[in-house]
Amino acid sequence: MPEVDKLGNGVAEAADVTVQLPGMRVAYDSEAFDESALAATWTEQLQLWLNQAVSAGCAEPNAMVLATADAEGLPSSRTVLCKELDERGIVFYTNYTSTKSHDLTVTRYASATFPWYALHRQVTVRGPVEKVGAAETAAYWASRPRGSQLGAWASPQSRVVADRRALDNALNAIERRFADVEQVPVPPHWGGWRIRPDTVEFWQGRRDRLHDRLRYVRTEDGWRIDRVAP
């Protein structure tokens, strides 16, 4: 009987997949992405590509990989959802006691990448961060499903918990606490972060790994466009 791993997969089968990793690649045949094709601002260009990702049916097109570092420079990354995009930057919401928030409080800097694999595109936004104001946070909070609101109250994000039951018990307690409350309030430990970009790079996959990388760079006079070698 073949050996089976914890996920129910044959170990030999898993080994075969691992052996194939060096040869796994996708041939990109996208059209040229030239400076002449860029929108006047990074905001317009990002909104355009985001709209196209939505139209193409990309899963969670507003998902982005957020990279932070702690005081010692140790990096960490995770996927969050972009909930606002304007000339000030991009916004995501989280627990202010989380690992990512601790990192951002110390370094005040972050990078976030939108990975649209199906379109052979990605966009990386990098810059200093700031907390979103209370009124703006409250407006977004009101749009969240009640279950998500209760979950934000219940979860001690990034802390070690005994088991899944501990989380379920915490949620049950919060449900009882707000059972008679129509509008769940914003937790004092929860809110938004805005990345105010210094650079925004648009990456388009091309043949032979000679990808197009066009970068908006903030200057004292506004923005300039750089082409970066792949």
Side-chain angles (χ1 to χ4, degrees):
M1 185 173 183
E3 187 178 355
V4 176
D5 66 13
K6 293 180 179 179
L7 296 178
N9 302 313
V11 174
E13 179 183 348
D16 289 343
V17 172
T18 302
V19 170
Q20 298 300 320
L21 284 176
M24 287 183 176
R25 59 178 54 86
V26 174
Y28 299 142
D29 56 0
S30 304
E31 296 181 358
F33 180 47
D34 296 322
E35 288 83 344
S36 61
L38 285 174
T41 66
W42 71 266
T43 313
E44 295 171 284
Q45 186 63 42
L46 180 51
Q47 188 66 65
L48 173 64
W49 274 22
L50 181 59
N51 291 345
Q52 291 173 348
V54 172
S55 297
C58 292
E60 294 201 280
N62 63 325
M64 55 188 188
V65 180
L66 174 72
T68 62
D70 64 16
E72 285 70 47
L74 296 176
S76 60
S77 60
R78 75 291 288 163
T79 301
V80 298
L81 297 178
C82 178
K83 290 299 181 178
E84 187 177 332
L85 162 63
D86 59 27
E87 67 281 355
R88 296 172 296 172
I90 57 175
V91 172
F92 65 93
Y93 290 86
T94 188
N95 189 313
Y96 283 146
T97 67
S98 66
T99 297
K100 68 179 85 64
S101 288
H102 284 305
D103 288 352
L104 295 175
T105 298
V106 171
T107 66
R108 312 303 293 188
Y109 212 84
S111 175
T113 298
F114 295 84
W116 298 311
Y117 304 116
L119 299 180
H120 304 162
R121 286 176 172 176
Q122 66 179 23
V123 178
T124 299
V125 179
R126 186 176 63 182
V129 300
E130 64 184 14
K131 285 186 175 180
V132 171
E136 195 171 347
T137 293
Y140 169 68
W141 174 264
S143 74
R144 287 167 61 90
R146 185 178 180 88
S148 296
Q149 294 176 338
L150 297 175
W153 273 98
S155 176
Q157 194 174 108
S158 299
R159 298 180 190 173
V160 175
V161 294
D163 50 28
R164 176 67 199 199
R165 181 178 296 180
L167 288 175
D168 293 337
N169 290 341
L171 179 58
N172 290 337
I174 290 297
E175 288 176 337
R176 292 191 298 271
R177 175 179 173 181
F178 293 111
D180 298 324
V181 177
E182 182 177 355
Q183 298 294 333
V184 179
V186 180
H189 56 268
W190 191 93
W193 287 98
R194 174 178 288 108
I195 303 177
R196 302 183 66 95
D198 285 334
T199 64
V200 183
E201 181 180 306
F202 292 80
W203 182 101
Q204 174 75 67
R206 296 293 304 282
R207 292 181 57 185
D208 302 320
R209 267 34 191 184
L210 289 179
H211 313 302
D212 287 321
R213 296 174 60 189
L214 300 180
R215 182 183 294 168
Y216 292 77
V217 181
R218 187 188 296 274
T219 69
E220 292 182 358
D221 301 322
W223 294 85
R224 73 167 189 269
I225 306 297
D226 289 342
R227 175 173 283 273
V228 184

